[in-house]
Amino acid sequence: MVVLLLAAGRSKRMSPIEDKNQLTFLGDNLLSIQISKLKNAGFSDIIVVCNKHNKEFVGTITSSFVEQEDLELGIKGAILSSEKYIKDKDIIIVNSNDIVEDLVYKNLLALINKGNDGVIVSKKVDNYFPGGYIKVKKTNIIESIIEKPGEGNEPSDIINILIHYHKDSNRLLKYLRNITSNNDDQYELALDSLFKEKNYISLEYSDTWKTIKYPWHILDVTNYFLSKLEPHISKTAEISKHSSIIGNVIIEDNVKIMDHSSIVGPCYIGANTVIANNSLVRNSIINKNSVIGYSTEIARSYIGDNVWTHHNYLGDSIVCDNVTFGAGTITGNLRLDNKSIYVKIKDRKIDTKLKKLGAIIGQNTKFGVNTSIMPGKKIGMNCVIGPNINLHKDIKNDSHVFQKCDLNICNICE
């Protein structure tokens, strides 16, 4: 049995996050976490499907990978790219950023061992989710699937999670080669044909499921991993006796926690990070080599590697690697009318259903002093943001943003 771990997607919905698989949670990147989870479940033959942009990164983790060249083909392209590895074999297809509990794999193997033609892991939902919806007969046999039907057009309240077993990979490959569509649903159309011919079983999953479809979902995943952490403080950490550590925390090697700072768990503080005087970190992940500078507050946020702050407030925010904040720069995370926050994805405004959401900031971006970032705004990669700016709109990658300011200087004695 071969597991295809799909990690090639470069979703435009995630901008300015470059690659979900490289996001680090509790000291390990998401791709490594998923590979370890599969190996612990007993799967040894795992092939990662990557793209040209993350191929080098994937190669540092595993030598078993294949590059998907045509990303526009989505899941169909990922499977066809792997044809020589899966031909004549039974396969499991797993999405690299669907996070589930280990028990689902045990239950999946139990159904596989009963000789079923295929198994689709499914979950009942209360609200619309932009994914594939399935119709299931009373016998748990799947009748049909519709990809992204649109809110109000759902054929059921059951979505499929991309943990799929196919006993006959050759038949799947045959259908995929013959399917054409202008939409991102060619794999689902192939599935729909298979469902009419073979008995695919719905494996209902009712436990925790987290996925990263939009940038703010990173905060959901952050909370998930924080809820799982086992407290640990490295012997090499330097912790002032005048600091305060409350609740479950992981503090890694060579962390410095200075006078009158507070860490309120659950929190993760990565190696070589400095938590400076009078700072407050709560319910957040701070990755390695970062500096939470004097009188800074980080609340319910994901902070990447090499992030530098000083006298800032970052609430409910996602900050990628190598970002620096000038003193006094802050994120707004709550609308004045207390309504849910919308984020612009491509040309549409998406309701996040969140009352609190701060900034989403790409890697290698720098902020000047006293900049204010309004709730739910996205700041691209490689940007330079000047001082004293109110960022009330999204900023594209590679932008330099400065505010014109004319000084009128008078002699008070005249």
Side-chain angles (χ1 to χ4, degrees):
M1 185 184 301
V2 178
V3 176
L4 287 185
L5 185 57
L6 307 190
R10 281 176 64 82
S11 173
K12 295 178 182 178
R13 295 185 300 262
M14 287 300 298
S15 177
I17 312 301
E18 192 168 36
D19 184 12
K20 294 177 277 189
N21 301 288
Q22 297 186 49
L23 293 167
T24 302
F25 300 96
L26 307 188
D28 209 353
N29 62 73
L30 186 55
L31 183 62
S32 293
I33 291 169
Q34 297 289 57
I35 290 174
S36 295
K37 187 182 286 286
L38 287 165
K39 287 183 176 179
N40 290 339
F43 302 108
S44 57
D45 194 355
I46 303 168
I47 298 173
V48 177
V49 183
C50 61
N51 60 53
K52 66 179 181 180
H53 303 283
N54 65 6
K55 181 178 178 179
E56 183 177 351
F57 159 72
V58 172
T60 65
I61 297 169
T62 178
S63 58
S64 299
F65 63 87
V66 60
E67 180 183 342
Q68 179 180 346
E69 295 183 357
D70 189 350
L71 300 183
E72 296 300 320
L73 290 177
I75 300 173
K76 171 184 175 178
I79 297 169
L80 292 179
S81 297
S82 312
E83 181 170 359
K84 69 177 181 179
Y85 301 102
I86 65 174
K87 190 175 181 181
D88 302 323
K89 297 180 180 179
D90 55 342
I91 62 171
I92 296 176
I93 301 169
V94 178
N95 182 19
S96 66
N97 50 77
D98 275 339
I99 298 162
V100 294
E101 303 294 350
D102 294 346
L103 182 62
V104 72
Y105 293 112
K106 179 180 178 180
N107 293 338
L108 176 65
L109 284 170
L111 286 178
I112 290 171
N113 291 334
K114 289 182 178 180
N116 289 294
D117 294 325
V119 181
I120 304 293
V121 176
S122 63
K123 187 175 180 66
K124 287 190 175 183
V125 293
D126 296 324
N127 300 306
Y128 179 73
F129 181 80
Y133 280 75
I134 60 175
K135 289 182 67 175
V136 180
K137 300 176 183 178
K138 290 183 179 180
T139 54
N140 276 343
I141 295 175
I142 301 174
E143 187 176 332
S144 62
I145 183 170
I146 301 175
E147 175 69 3
K148 299 184 183 71
E151 192 167 1
N153 300 314
E154 304 94 324
S156 71
D157 61 350
I158 305 172
I159 62 169
N160 90 104
I161 297 174
L162 191 50
I163 303 174
H164 295 178
Y165 168 71
H166 298 276
K167 184 176 182 180
D168 186 351
S169 62
N170 293 344
R171 189 166 293 277
L172 173 64
L173 289 165
K174 174 187 173 183
Y175 276 115
L176 286 172
R177 282 192 290 266
N178 293 330
I179 287 287
T180 58
S181 173
N182 294 325
N183 300 318
D184 183 22
D185 63 351
Q186 295 189 62
Y187 174 64
E188 287 74 21
L189 291 173
L191 282 182
D192 210 44
S193 298
L194 282 169
F195 295 159
K196 291 176 173 58
E197 183 180 323
K198 298 288 184 178
N199 286 336
Y200 273 68
I201 302 298
S202 169
L203 170 57
E204 186 174 335
Y205 174 72
S206 58
D207 213 328
T208 301
W209 169 60
K210 301 292 181 183
T211 191
I212 305 176
K213 285 275 189 181
Y214 295 115
W216 54 91
H217 291 156
I218 293 169
L219 297 178
D220 278 342
V221 175
T222 295
N223 288 332
Y224 171 80
F225 282 110
L226 287 175
S227 72
K228 297 289 185 180
L229 68 77
E230 297 181 4
H232 169 74
I233 297 177
S234 170
K235 293 180 180 179
T236 62
E238 297 180 24
I239 301 174
S240 167
K241 64 181 180 180
H242 301 296
S243 64
S244 174
I245 299 175
I246 302 169
N248 292 338
V249 300
I250 293 177
I251 298 175
E252 297 284 23
D253 293 345
N254 303 315
V255 167
K256 292 184 180 180
I257 300 177
M258 304 176 74
D259 291 348
H260 311 298
S261 60
S262 294
I263 299 175
V264 181
C267 278
Y268 174 87
I269 311 296
N272 308 312
T273 284
V274 175
I275 310 297
N277 305 71
N278 295 352
S279 292
L280 169 61
V281 178
R282 51 196 176 103
N283 298 84
S284 297
I285 286 178
I286 314 290
N287 283 301
K288 65 178 186 290
N289 302 321
S290 292
V291 174
I292 308 306
Y294 173 80
S295 196
T296 292
E297 180 179 356
I298 310 289
R300 301 174 303 275
S301 293
Y302 173 93
I303 308 296
D305 296 343
N306 301 299
V307 173
W308 286 62
T309 68
H310 181 71
H311 213 302
N312 307 121
Y313 173 73
L314 302 176
D316 304 278
S317 294
I318 299 148
V319 181
C320 292
D321 298 347
N322 305 313
V323 173
T324 61
F325 294 90
T329 288
I330 60 173
T331 60
N333 62 339
L334 180 68
R335 288 171 50 137
L336 289 175
D337 59 10
N338 210 33
K339 291 182 179 180
S340 63
I341 294 167
Y342 284 72
V343 173
K344 192 173 182 180
I345 302 294
K346 299 182 183 179
D347 296 323
R348 295 175 56 220
K349 286 188 175 181
I350 305 294
D351 186 354
T352 66
K353 312 293 186 184
L354 299 173
K355 292 291 184 70
K356 286 189 174 183
L357 177 62
I360 301 159
I361 301 170
Q363 62 185 8
N364 306 320
T365 285
K366 298 181 179 181
F367 292 86
V369 299
N370 296 325
T371 290
S372 299
I373 311 169
M374 294 299 102
K377 298 309 169 193
K378 300 187 298 180
I379 315 301
M381 301 184 292
N382 309 314
C383 291
V384 175
I385 311 297
N388 300 312
I389 295 175
N390 183 338
L391 289 175
H392 58 278
K393 59 177 66 176
D394 292 346
I395 305 299
K396 294 181 180 179
N397 293 343
D398 306 305
S399 296
H400 286 207
V401 181
F402 295 95
Q403 180 172 269
K404 289 184 178 181
C405 182
D406 295 327
L407 298 179
N408 186 8
I409 302 174
C410 301
N411 189 327
I412 61 173
C413 296
E414 291 181 354

